[in-house]
Amino acid sequence: MLFRSPKYLTLDAAMQTAKLTKSRFLILKLDIEGHEYQSLLQCADQVLKLFKYIVIEFHNLNEIKYSRQFRNLLKSCMSKLLNNHQVISAVANNATGEFNIFYKNKWKIKRLKFPTTMEISFARRDALKNFKERNNLRENLNFQSKNVLNKKSI
């Protein structure tokens, strides 16, 4: 269900209020504790295209395992983001733990550990025309660090 309550501000409305609808060099950092999916789906494509870089923390990924509705929601969000952007980094967040996904590979059942929360960075496709810039971005974003220092890495 999309937010339609007056107590929530949509990204589209925030951009109009801030008069940023003509800029092309913006960075979006979205960490809204599970509400990122509805916010993204509600956002107009032309608003997302304003952002040169988008960094989103995706929460509740363990729902992939149990809910077809969540899988469809995640797929819709990724499809929308990938219209004009490309993934340049994906980092597990160790604060919320991990879960197991089991899958069949030929004759064996295999286990894949997957983080419950991930931070994924996107760059607008036109920003990545320069191959050297793209590699530098990936190299700088893919550092290994822990979100929560006293927890093990995922």
Side-chain angles (χ1 to χ4, degrees), residues 3-15:
F3 294 127
R4 300 203 190 281
S5 168
K7 69 179 183 176
Y8 295 105
L9 181 64
T10 66
L11 186 55
D12 294 35
M15 296 295 289

Side-chain angles (χ1 to χ4, degrees), residues 26-38:
L26 299 172
I27 297 172
L28 173 65
K29 167 69 170 151
L30 201 58
D31 183 0
I32 50 178
E33 307 303 320
H35 299 287
E36 56 276 3
Y37 306 101
Q38 293 88 354

Side-chain angles (χ1 to χ4, degrees), residues 74-87:
L74 179 61
K75 183 178 178 182
S76 296
C77 287
M78 288 298 172
S79 294
K80 185 168 195 160
L81 286 163
L82 294 175
N83 280 335
N84 296 301
H85 293 78
Q86 177 178 329
V87 174

